[in-house]
Amino acid sequence: MPGVSSFRNTLSRACLGASAGLLAGFTALAVAELAAALVRPAAGPVTVVGGAVIDRTPAPVKDFAIRTFGEDDKFVLQLGILVLLGLFAACLGVLSLRHRRAGAAGVLLFGILGGVAALSRPGSAGVADALPSVVGAVAGAAVLYLLAGRTAPVRPPTGEEGPTSTWSRRGFLTAATVTAAAATGAGVLGRALTARHGRGAVASRAALVLPAPASPAPALPGGVQVKVAGISPFTTPNRDFYRVDTALVVPKVDADTWRLRIHGKGVARPRTYTLDDLLSRPLVERDITLTCVSNEVGGPYVGNARWLGVRLADLLTECGVKPPSEGGPADQLVARSVDGMTLGSPVEDVMDGRDALLAVGMNGEPLPFEHGFPVRMLVPGLYGYVSACKWIEDIELTTFDAYDPYWVKRKWAREAPIKTQARIDTPKPFARPEVGTVMVAGVAWAQYRGISRVEVRVDDGVWQDAELAAQDTRDTWRQWSFRWRTTPGGHTLTVRATDGTGQVQTEQRARTVPDGASGRHSVFVTVP
Ligand SMILES: Nc1nc2c(c(=O)[nH]1)N[C@H]1C(S)=C(S)[C@@H](COP(=O)(O)O)O[C@H]1N2
Ligand SMILES: [Mo]
């Protein structure tokens, strides 16, 4: 049956081509990884392409990703890129069976795309960032060209018996094995070098001894924590604190070489600070609840920690900055991180007396790398994307008219004070609580305004006062509980908060884009 055997032959050649392509792709990534380790770990091709995708993701899609994959969104993104690259590589491999040059050129094209993605990132270090993708692609293209050569039909010497067309299986396997081994070596070496890269930063964090605060946080009032199983802890441990950022590689900044520059419009005395400069100033310690604008009603992107830092307003005053209300020409403070992220806060808010901080400590330890080591900004009352710059290295005074920071360029609001919200932590949605008395409990927040009242409604009933736990400060969330006498059947529990100014949380539903979700959290449960 010649038909079947020639089909089989075609299939096995296609597999051969696909494996050559995959191997070329693997080589390209491994060599690029090694090159990135030498240049800048964040310049690896998957990282820069992932970053470029994040930069271009429309706000609703970004929120969908956060909603669907949560903090695994970065992992899912990188996995997706790898799978796509693998598919393309396999196709290029098949192509290279007939068109060796075209296959290799295809690999090069991907390298160039990676290079362009690298250059397009905010905070890109220039041509050096494009290098890993391009160097990797050159290696990958060479591998594909050579392997494709080994799959070429071999004609038996004239006059001898034998198949008219075959390929040198052994030649291909040898070349493939050598390539795979070399690429793996390059990849492993790259990883090892990258790990070494962060060693100075890790050592500087380990060596950092946080000074005692000149102004300690007031002792937590007794009774800030409601004793009901299932409610969030009042202070969120660092390991459980939500993380939202665009960094596919967490920046590892060496505290010893870290600098913060303050400059710009109306800065009479621009200055650059070292970490020691900050640590030798009087430090304040404050409890502040941080919230992400991407947090859905009832969502998890909110946490409360005890921060240690210097008051930002003091530094600004030292540099000669005046708030707009005192005639200062700058109304926007743009914070910039080592990875090129920019966040803009109203200068008026930062200098109006609230505890806007440059924080160095979080819950008694130096900031974890994920949360901005060595220094991050925090402004009570403002969503994270307009205030909480991690890995900060630059503060520029400017105006809202003159400059749009990263998220504002992407359809999010220029100014974003935190909206009043209450969340039911327990019972969970679709729980089946016992008949009798059930404790409903959760948290409510309206940073810098405080929470004055929380009410719960069962189905369409009247609003009933929940019991408020003690308030720590108006910059922190406040816990509440409600003793619910159940009746059998399905019930919807809804909660609403009133802030310190007497404003009741709106029932108007709004999406997270452009300035934060609103509406009331409700939970459906069934009492058997
Ligand atoms: N450098 C940098 N800082 C950043 C971000 C970022 O992507 N990069 N994300 C901001 C956002 S959107 C939020 S909500 C907070 C989250 O801080 P956390 O990850 O420590 O909880 O950090 C802010 N600071
Ligand atoms: Mo955020």
Side-chain angles (χ1 to χ4, degrees):
M1 281 168 76
V4 170
S5 104
S6 97
F7 172 72
R8 240 191 235 144
N9 208 10
T10 310
L11 190 69
S12 80
R13 276 184 59 76
C15 286
L16 192 70
S19 359
L22 284 173
L23 202 49
F26 175 61
T27 307
L29 287 181
V31 170
E33 203 67 46
L34 177 57
L38 299 171
V39 179
R40 201 159 77 103
V46 177
T47 311
V48 292
V49 171
V53 171
I54 293 175
D55 292 343
R56 281 162 191 76
T57 304
V61 180
K62 172 214 157 210
D63 263 36
F64 163 80
I66 291 188
R67 227 170 23 245
T68 314
F69 305 117
E71 296 184 27
D72 293 331
D73 58 347
K74 295 190 179 73
F75 173 74
V76 172
L77 172 66
Q78 295 184 86
L79 193 67
I81 290 172
L82 281 178
V83 169
L84 274 182
L85 280 180
L87 283 174
F88 279 118
C91 291
L92 286 174
V94 175
L95 173 72
S96 72
L97 292 178
R98 281 174 183 275
H99 307 283
R100 264 171 97 187
R101 293 226 179 93
V107 177
L108 277 181
L109 190 67
F110 270 91
I112 291 170
L113 287 180
V116 170
L119 293 178
S120 80
R121 302 255 25 234
S124 140
V127 189
D129 276 4
L131 217 61
S133 298
V134 174
V135 170
V138 169
V143 163
L144 188 56
Y145 190 78
L146 290 176
L147 286 181
R150 305 261 165 187
T151 67
V154 176
R155 304 214 167 268
T158 36
E160 274 181 39
E161 290 287 304
T164 52
S165 157
T166 181
W167 44 276
S168 158
R169 189 183 290 266
R170 181 171 310 153
F172 178 83
L173 280 182
T174 311
T177 311
V178 170
T179 308
T184 307
V188 168
L189 184 61
R191 278 287 144 95
L193 287 176
T194 303
R196 271 178 54 149
H197 234 273
R199 273 202 323 203
V202 172
S204 73
R205 184 173 182 276
L208 180 58
V209 180
L210 294 175
S215 165
L220 276 188
V224 291
Q225 177 73 53
V226 164
K227 290 189 184 59
V228 173
I231 196 173
S232 330
F234 179 76
T235 301
T236 315
N238 290 355
R239 65 174 180 284
D240 298 334
F241 207 95
Y242 83 91
R243 175 184 164 206
V244 171
D245 56 55
T246 58
L248 290 174
V249 172
V250 175
K252 293 258 168 68
V253 180
D254 189 330
D256 299 331
T257 53
W258 176 86
R259 297 287 182 275
L260 171 70
R261 182 168 165 236
I262 300 183
H263 62 111
K265 210 174 168 62
V267 183
R269 296 175 291 279
R271 243 196 94 167
T272 299
Y273 295 87
T274 65
L275 189 62
D276 280 339
D277 291 338
L278 297 192
L279 295 179
S280 60
R281 305 175 69 96
L283 298 186
V284 302
E285 184 188 49
R286 296 290 182 264
D287 294 337
I288 298 171
T289 299
L290 183 59
T291 311
C292 181
V293 72
S294 293
N295 194 47
E296 299 280 334
V297 172
Y301 301 124
V302 52
N304 180 52
R306 176 157 289 193
W307 309 91
L308 177 74
V310 300
R311 299 193 69 242
L312 179 53
D314 294 350
L315 286 189
L316 294 173
T317 305
E318 185 174 279
C319 294
V321 177
K322 285 195 170 65
S325 59
E326 290 171 28
D331 61 4
Q332 182 177 217
L333 178 155
V334 173
R336 186 184 302 269
S337 69
V338 298
D339 61 337
M341 171 56 66
T342 49
L343 301 85
S345 325
V347 176
E348 198 61 55
D349 291 353
V350 172
M351 301 189 78
D352 71 357
R354 72 184 81 192
D355 290 315
L357 300 183
L358 286 176
V360 293
M362 179 177 186
N363 289 330
E365 57 169 308
L367 292 177
F369 287 108
E370 291 79 11
H371 296 290
F373 181 84
V375 179
R376 79 174 303 168
M377 208 173 117
L378 291 167
V379 183
L382 305 184
Y383 283 119
Y385 85 104
V386 289
S387 64
C389 186
K390 306 194 270 189
W391 317 293
I392 192 172
E393 67 170 7
D394 188 280
I395 288 179
E396 181 174 357
L397 278 292
T398 178
T399 62
F400 280 103
D401 282 344
Y403 185 76
D404 283 340
Y406 185 91
W407 290 113
V408 178
K409 287 196 183 90
R410 291 162 177 78
K411 302 249 167 31
W412 296 84
R414 285 201 168 128
E415 300 202 31
I418 294 173
K419 297 181 180 177
T420 304
Q421 274 293 324
R423 184 178 76 191
I424 300 172
D425 284 348
T426 182
K428 297 280 175 235
F430 308 111
R432 301 175 68 83
E434 300 284 304
V435 190
T437 301
V438 167
M439 291 306 283
V440 183
V443 286
W445 60 87
Q447 292 91 310
Y448 201 52
R449 299 184 299 277
I451 291 290
S452 61
R453 185 178 196 187
V454 171
E455 296 156 285
V456 173
R457 184 173 67 180
V458 182
D459 301 319
D460 294 326
V462 294
W463 287 103
Q464 304 178 64
D465 272 309
E467 190 175 327
L468 281 177
Q471 166 167 288
D472 178 8
T473 75
R474 58 185 177 158
D475 295 338
T476 58
W477 59 13
R478 188 165 184 182
Q479 301 199 340
W480 56 268
S481 62
F482 176 76
R483 202 174 275 280
W484 175 37
R485 268 175 247 295
T486 62
T487 53
H491 297 288
T492 302
L493 302 167
T494 307
V495 65
R496 74 175 183 192
T498 301
D499 73 11
T501 72
Q503 193 80 37
V504 181
Q505 175 188 341
T506 179
E507 64 177 327
Q508 205 76 48
R509 289 193 152 267
R511 321 256 338 249
T512 54
V513 189
D515 65 354
S518 69
R520 291 165 182 167
H521 189 213
S522 59
V523 164
F524 181 83
V525 299
T526 304
V527 180

